[in-house]
Amino acid sequence: VNGARQVLGAICTHALRNRIIAFNPVEATRPVRRQKEDPTQIKTPWSCEEISLVLSHAQTNDNLDAFLHLMLHLGLRPGEALGLRWCDIDKDPNYLWINGTLKEERRILPSGQGVVRTVIVEPKTAASRRKLPISEALAAALDRQRMRQSLYQVGNHGNWVDSGHIVTTRRGTAFSASHLRRRYAQYLEEMKVRYIRFHDMRHSVATLALGDANLPIEKASQALGHTRIDTTKQIYA
């Protein structure tokens, strides 16, 4: 319902600007609020044991190694992990910067054909632009990814695309979330690990940080890129 309301609101806004209608009727309505009893797509976060199992075999998966380590060591949003570039790693190699997020943009060509491309957009909020530490395990995963990309570049005989992204296809282009999601689901099935969504990995990291690791909520909020501590409390605490 909210999705339809958003689309209709954009149509009416366009019509209002072009003086086709006198006012936007959608502005007189309110979005539908989720009720506690409503079904949700959110999955139960992974336990520490499940995360360890997923990461223990990830280094042998060329597509997912770097992505899973970024997600499960830093609690990033999926678009932040996919949007990371090698230039975002600080001069001090023990830190990286979140400077943007990768987004899938759908466009309709004059022929009527729909195309999807990936673009880097500004972080979700000002607080989302943040500096995060790189652990030893994450540093090792990034080193493996650099080596893979070097081999891909040699093997592609001039067809390599130097996108600068950390998580890439064998051609060097950025992975879209929808493309990587299929490989991720297949990997979990092979590992016999229950499926959770990309964003649920972020929930898993936050839950463990505030629970088992007893990280102060102020530091957790900053690391997660939340604008307000209240947001962190409401979702995780």
Side-chain angles (χ1 to χ4, degrees):
V1 172
N2 285 336
R5 179 181 177 277
Q6 184 177 9
V7 172
L8 183 58
I11 293 171
C12 290
T13 297
H14 175 78
L16 182 63
R17 288 173 179 170
N18 287 274
R19 300 182 180 180
I20 299 171
I21 58 178
F23 71 99
N24 186 342
V26 178
E27 292 181 353
T29 69
R30 292 182 179 181
V32 178
R33 292 183 177 273
R34 180 180 294 278
Q35 303 299 315
K36 290 184 178 180
E37 63 273 13
D38 287 347
T40 176
Q41 293 182 340
I42 298 175
K43 307 294 184 183
T44 302
W46 276 337
S47 65
C48 192
E49 291 73 19
E50 287 172 310
I51 290 178
S52 297
L53 180 59
V54 169
L55 290 181
S56 65
H57 296 274
Q59 57 186 292
T60 61
N61 190 298
D62 291 355
N63 296 309
L64 295 169
D65 185 15
F67 176 72
L68 288 175
H69 276 84
L70 285 167
M71 292 290 291
L72 293 171
H73 276 262
L74 300 177
L76 302 181
R77 300 178 179 96
E80 292 174 341
L82 294 172
L84 271 173
R85 291 163 289 191
W86 292 111
C87 62
D88 294 323
I89 295 180
D90 204 63
K91 293 179 181 178
D92 177 350
N94 296 321
Y95 291 89
L96 57 78
W97 281 92
I98 304 299
N99 287 315
T101 184
L102 192 74
K103 179 181 178 182
E104 292 182 55
E105 189 177 75
R106 186 178 299 275
R107 290 191 174 185
I108 305 298
L109 300 178
S111 63
Q113 178 186 4
V115 295
V116 178
R117 68 173 186 172
T118 55
V119 294
I120 293 289
V121 298
E122 287 294 306
K124 186 177 180 181
T125 64
S128 297
R129 196 183 297 275
R130 60 202 188 277
K131 184 178 181 180
L132 296 171
I134 300 175
S135 65
E136 289 185 12
L138 177 55
L142 293 175
D143 287 342
R144 291 193 297 270
Q145 186 67 359
R146 282 187 186 273
M147 180 62 69
R148 288 189 192 99
Q149 290 186 350
S150 297
L151 295 174
Y152 294 159
Q153 188 172 4
V154 172
N156 269 284
H157 306 294
N159 292 323
W160 172 261
V161 178
D162 189 10
S163 66
H165 284 273
I166 294 176
V167 181
T168 64
T169 65
R170 289 178 177 269
R171 288 187 58 247
T173 56
F175 256 120
S176 67
S178 56
H179 188 187
L180 196 62
R181 196 174 288 114
R182 292 192 294 270
R183 298 172 185 264
Y184 165 74
Q186 182 181 1
Y187 174 71
L188 294 185
E189 186 175 353
E190 293 170 355
M191 292 292 300
K192 308 297 182 187
V193 176
R194 65 185 177 87
Y195 176 85
I196 64 173
R197 305 168 309 150
F198 279 172
H199 210 83
D200 294 322
M201 285 194 275
R202 175 173 164 86
H203 294 323
S204 301
V205 174
T207 301
L208 288 173
L210 292 168
D212 294 8
N214 200 26
L215 187 70
I217 196 165
E218 294 82 3
K219 289 189 175 182
S221 183
Q222 184 179 9
L224 292 167
H226 288 159
T227 304
R228 300 184 305 163
I229 294 177
D230 286 347
T231 303
T232 313
K233 288 180 179 179
Q234 184 178 7
I235 298 175
Y236 301 111

